[in-house]
Amino acid sequence: AHSYTKYNTWNEIQDWIASISSSNPNLISKQVIGNTYEGRPMNLLKIGKKSSSTKPAIFMDCGIHAREWISPAFCQWFVKEALSTYGKDSQMTSLLNQMDVYVLPVFNIDGYDYTHKSNRMWRKTRSRRSGSGCVGADPNRNWNAGWCTIGASSNPCSDTFCGYTPESEIEVKNVADFIRRNKSAIKAYITVHSYSQLLLFPYSYTYELSAHHSELLKVAEGASAALRSLYGTRYTSGPGAATIYPAAGGSDDWAYDLGVKYSYTFELRDTGRYGFLLPESQIKPTCEETMLAVKYIAAYVQKNL
Ligand code: 0X9
Ligand code: ZN
Ligand code: ZN
């Protein structure tokens, strides 16, 4: 059965998506933005008070990398908290009145399922191509942003394989198409990974600073301070290339270059003790502290619409 304090399987998450959206029709709706390589529906949740006109929006995805289980756990937590604090928490109420938050609970569903059934350390998608015996591409090297120029591999057997072309991975194409279609409404892009306790922003495909570097850094530092205020967890903020490593073809750089100024990558707990195998006992504290950072970014975006 589904629980917010355990790592749910894809089937449990799928049932949760259906039940949470049907039990909160006034605040949440779902839409399929396409299917994965193996044919699973990519359900995108839209959270916000219904409006007759298009509202400005924040897009957040979790689970780009299959083995980073705390990430989908956070997206589920976020949806629960949004619904249960609307009408109680003044910030959440104001946010959902004025904006919509799109949440993709699991981006790389095929990979996530594979980590539950076959290989806990799988990272990539599960696509196949004749001519290679190796499966999958890195869905965070497959975006059209300096694609495959640095920190990515053209070897299909590598864990950072950039794919055969930008958006060769259908999951990437489905999300990129959705964001392109809703580009004028989407004011912020948040993607959730693990681990390392970092809050990254563009660029990762170059060491050059983005045009909005100082503002993006200021917001990241505010968000990190908010996160730390709960349990003292320390995050480092900075542009991807200099803070973690240069790596092209990532979703954050792509969204930013499309025009979504507030583009952030979270790397959640921990710093390596458990790594991808973060114990379930840390789901609740990790999600509670991360909520503060995401709400900080959302409040800033809302104030600057
Ligand atoms: O390498 C990645 O894709 C991310 N780290 S992870 O350990 N979760 O794989 C960092 C992504 C930073 N952003 C870009 N490289 N664009
Ligand atoms: Zn990742
Ligand atoms: Zn809470």
Side-chain angles (χ1 to χ4, degrees):
H2 180 274
S3 162
Y4 290 105
T5 52
K6 69 169 197 122
Y7 295 119
N8 298 297
T9 64
W10 167 243
N11 285 319
E12 288 165 337
I13 295 172
Q14 209 177 10
D15 292 347
W16 168 81
I17 290 170
S19 78
I20 201 156
S21 29
S22 65
S23 46
N24 300 271
N26 293 325
L27 273 180
I28 186 168
S29 61
K30 63 174 166 73
Q31 59 186 298
V32 176
I33 59 165
N35 291 330
T36 66
Y37 181 83
E38 292 177 347
R40 298 179 176 90
M42 296 176 75
N43 260 120
L44 180 67
L45 299 172
K46 178 186 183 179
I47 309 164
K49 188 177 185 289
K50 298 262 172 325
S51 160
S52 47
S53 52
T54 304
K55 290 157 73 191
I58 294 171
F59 186 100
M60 179 165 74
D61 61 53
C62 290
I64 281 192
H65 290 136
R67 63 192 173 193
E68 299 167 7
W69 285 8
I70 187 62
S71 167
F74 176 70
C75 268
Q76 293 164 68
W77 192 278
F78 179 89
V79 171
K80 162 189 82 91
E81 290 278 316
L83 298 175
S84 66
T85 61
Y86 180 81
K88 301 191 172 79
D89 174 81
S90 62
Q91 194 212 319
M92 188 61 82
T93 307
S94 150
L95 175 68
L96 299 181
N97 283 341
Q98 207 184 347
M99 300 186 77
D100 290 321
V101 183
Y102 289 103
V103 178
L104 182 61
V106 186
F107 184 113
N108 177 9
I109 305 168
D110 298 347
Y112 186 74
D113 190 64
Y114 192 72
T115 61
H116 283 261
K117 293 176 176 166
S118 300
N119 178 354
R120 176 66 184 82
M121 284 297 144
W122 191 257
R123 167 177 169 95
K124 300 189 285 180
T125 62
R126 293 295 301 163
S127 61
R128 293 160 186 276
R129 223 167 119 136
S130 56
S132 174
C134 289
V135 175
D138 185 339
N140 211 30
R141 298 291 182 278
N142 190 238
W143 301 70
N144 197 3
W147 180 73
C148 222
T149 52
I150 190 169
S153 174
S154 55
N155 174 359
C157 300
S158 165
D159 241 1
T160 55
F161 175 46
C162 59
Y164 291 95
T165 57
E167 301 180 18
S168 59
E169 301 316 289
I170 187 66
E171 298 83 1
V172 172
K173 173 151 191 344
N174 290 339
V175 173
D177 280 344
F178 179 85
I179 295 176
R180 275 190 288 263
R181 248 186 348 258
N182 295 280
K183 175 178 137 80
S184 59
I186 297 175
K187 306 302 175 192
Y189 171 78
I190 295 173
T191 182
V192 183
H193 290 252
S194 74
Y195 60 92
S196 288
Q197 295 175 196
L198 304 171
L199 184 43
L200 307 172
F201 51 86
Y203 284 110
S204 288
Y205 69 73
T206 174
Y207 284 101
E208 279 177 39
L209 299 184
S210 75
H212 305 97
H213 177 82
S214 52
E215 186 185 9
L216 291 173
L217 178 62
K218 177 186 76 174
V219 175
E221 289 188 329
S224 301
L227 187 155
R228 186 176 161 186
S229 70
L230 197 55
Y231 305 116
T233 308
R234 288 171 177 271
Y235 268 59
T236 303
S237 313
T243 307
I244 176 168
Y245 39 63
S251 62
D252 49 2
D253 287 355
W254 176 84
Y256 179 79
D257 281 350
L258 185 74
V260 182
K261 175 164 70 162
Y262 302 105
S263 178
Y264 288 101
T265 295
F266 279 86
E267 293 276 8
L268 302 182
R269 290 191 196 184
D270 55 12
T271 56
R273 178 171 181 188
Y274 297 105
F276 303 119
L277 307 180
L278 192 72
E280 289 181 328
S281 60
Q282 291 200 226
I283 295 175
K284 181 174 192 283
T286 301
C287 292
E288 291 284 13
E289 68 189 6
T290 308
M291 279 303 297
L292 299 179
V294 170
K295 286 173 73 178
Y296 182 95
I297 295 170
Y300 184 90
V301 171
Q302 195 189 351
K303 198 176 65 199
N304 290 278
L305 282 175

